[in-house]
Amino acid sequence: MQAKSFQLFPEAASSIAGQVDALYAFMVLISAFFSLIIAFLIIFFAIKYRHRPGIKPTFKPADDHSIGGMVLEIVWTAIPLAISMVMFVWGVSIYFTESRPPADSMEIYVTGKQWMWKVQHMEGAREINELHIPINRNIKLTMTSEDVLHDFFIPAFRTKADVLPGKYTTEWFRPTQTGAFHIFCAEYCGTKHSGMIGTVYVMNEADYTVWLAAGSGEGSIAEQGQSLFNQLGCGNCHYSNVNNGIGRGPNLNGLYGSKVDLKDGTSVKADESYIRESVLNPQAKIVAGFDDYMPTFKGQISDEGMLKLIAYVKSLGLKYGAPNTATPGTVSTSATAPTAGRPAAKAATSVSATPVAGNK
Ligand code: CUA
């Protein structure tokens, strides 16, 4: 599969592409219509009222300044207003559709850096300047940058979004055609900006499953996040399944997507950017009922590591004690127990007590 080298107009390969093209065509036709009418009238009047020898102009500028007609003014204000409002409302509806990923979207992480795109699938597969996705599935990209502002653009899907350092942006689409399509960086980001390109491969479901399995040797991204979580000692304070989940830091089960009440009385939605900030700048938002214990992990975690940690926290989908029925990629939440000395010891005691009781 090779992306086509030159095309005047990209293929329409996503569910939204037809709508974007229709709006675009409407705007081009309106512009063309008025451009032609104006050009025609300029030429027509220039010829009709051209200067002829022997004819004196009858126009008296001083008398004609205030000529106007209320009806005419209203008409040529109202018509353009109506036309531009059609464009506005139409554009807004497409914009809203494009900026709200459906809840059933498959998630993929994208990291931009000068000058490449790094892609991380939840199941573990990684790729550079390539993006393999299945056809007819809603795909949501969560994106960040390691350095400067980039913009992830897939012309064939008619969608793009800025990729910013230090925060997460999203972009979603549903591919409707198999094949290979261009990825461009659509924001000038340095000398090799034009080389920051890639290819998205849209595969049928069966091919995709095979492809994904081949690249998932390192385990799912949530599992990798869990190792990082343990490695950094996060579990020393953030208990999950021990001690009722109460440690020096807040319990992270069910955190993602929930509303968090903060010490200062405000609240915040626990999204990717909040989790990231809480790791790198823990003092920024202290959770109600907790103290300012946590040190910053700035400089200890790469952007890719951060995505893994976030994936792990997301996989802790449920509150403490609830049955574990979270989405694929979910990992056991009990792995932090060994690092949490006191509660783990307590649990061990109660287990060993049972045989003793049985002996009596
Ligand atoms: Cu990255 Cu332009």
Side-chain angles (χ1 to χ4, degrees):
M1 289 189 288
Q2 194 68 58
K4 291 199 178 106
S5 58
F6 178 78
Q7 281 171 296
L8 214 49
F9 215 75
E11 282 165 276
S14 78
S15 55
I16 199 90
Q19 297 176 51
V20 175
D21 288 354
L23 174 60
Y24 182 73
F26 175 76
M27 295 202 287
V28 168
L29 287 176
I30 291 285
S31 309
F33 174 75
F34 283 103
S35 304
L36 287 176
I37 262 196
I38 291 166
F40 169 78
L41 290 177
I42 289 171
I43 295 166
F44 176 77
F45 287 131
I47 293 170
K48 184 169 161 72
Y49 298 111
R50 69 188 181 278
H51 178 70
R52 294 189 184 84
I55 297 176
K56 288 204 169 150
T58 53
F59 177 69
K60 289 181 217 150
D63 297 343
D64 296 335
H65 266 251
S66 59
I67 286 182
M70 186 56 88
V71 176
L72 191 63
E73 294 284 351
I74 289 173
V75 166
W76 72 28
T77 305
I79 291 177
L81 177 71
I83 294 172
S84 53
M85 285 316 285
V86 169
M87 293 177 185
F88 173 71
V89 172
W90 193 347
V92 161
S93 90
I94 294 178
Y95 177 80
F96 280 179
T97 309
E98 288 215 328
S99 50
R100 289 176 184 156
D104 64 352
S105 296
M106 193 179 118
E107 296 206 44
I108 297 174
Y109 288 141
V110 173
T111 308
K113 77 178 262 198
Q114 288 170 320
W115 288 273
M116 64 170 85
W117 296 109
K118 295 190 281 190
V119 175
Q120 169 79 64
H121 294 259
M122 300 308 281
E123 294 79 1
R126 286 190 291 175
E127 41 190 341
I128 286 179
N129 292 340
E130 291 190 346
L131 172 61
H132 288 77
I133 46 172
I135 190 170
N136 290 329
R137 285 276 297 277
N138 295 325
I139 314 279
K140 174 186 167 194
L141 307 181
T142 299
M143 310 182 293
T144 191
S145 165
E146 283 183 20
D147 36 47
V148 299
L149 182 57
H150 303 279
D151 189 297
F152 195 85
F153 181 30
I154 304 174
F157 296 170
R158 308 290 189 274
T159 182
K160 61 177 186 159
D162 277 357
V163 177
L164 303 148
K167 66 174 280 186
Y168 297 99
T169 55
T170 61
E171 161 172 355
W172 81 274
F173 41 80
R174 187 167 76 242
T176 52
Q177 257 183 51
T178 55
F181 309 99
H182 286 297
I183 299 169
F184 291 120
C185 178
E187 190 71 58
Y188 182 72
C189 56
T191 50
K192 289 184 190 148
H193 154 73
S194 64
M196 194 166 165
I197 55 176
T199 309
V200 46
Y201 295 98
V202 180
M203 314 167 91
N204 64 45
E205 196 76 42
D207 289 349
Y208 177 73
T209 309
V210 172
W211 178 88
L212 197 63
S216 302
E218 290 172 301
S220 80
I221 175 169
E223 283 161 2
Q224 294 177 45
Q226 186 179 23
S227 332
L228 195 57
F229 188 88
N230 293 336
Q231 210 177 307
L232 293 165
C234 310
N236 292 336
C237 298
H238 297 284
Y239 305 157
S240 45
N241 275 357
V242 293
N243 196 28
N244 265 359
I246 298 160
R248 246 181 312 175
N251 182 359
L252 305 180
N253 289 354
L255 170 69
Y256 182 76
S258 68
K259 187 175 138 251
V260 179
D261 293 321
L262 302 177
K263 205 171 188 175
D264 64 8
T266 60
S267 65
V268 63
K269 190 186 168 207
D271 58 6
E272 283 90 352
S273 294
Y274 167 73
I275 297 171
R276 179 193 175 94
E277 183 188 56
S278 298
V279 175
L280 299 180
N281 184 14
Q283 275 74 46
K285 295 187 176 74
I286 309 281
V287 177
F290 289 88
D291 281 318
D292 179 10
Y293 275 127
M294 184 168 157
T296 174
F297 284 80
K298 209 174 259 175
Q300 296 184 56
I301 308 171
S302 67
D303 279 293
E304 283 157 313
M306 184 62 72
L307 289 175
K308 289 174 186 170
L309 276 183
I310 290 171
Y312 173 61
V313 172
K314 280 168 97 165
S315 76
L316 303 173
L318 296 157
K319 291 284 182 202
Y320 176 78
N324 194 353
T325 55
T327 46
T330 301
V331 287
S332 159
T333 53
S334 61
T336 55
T339 55
R342 290 141 299 176
K346 205 183 270 176
T349 324
S350 67
V351 168
S352 63
T354 318
V356 175
N359 284 345
K360 279 187 181 171

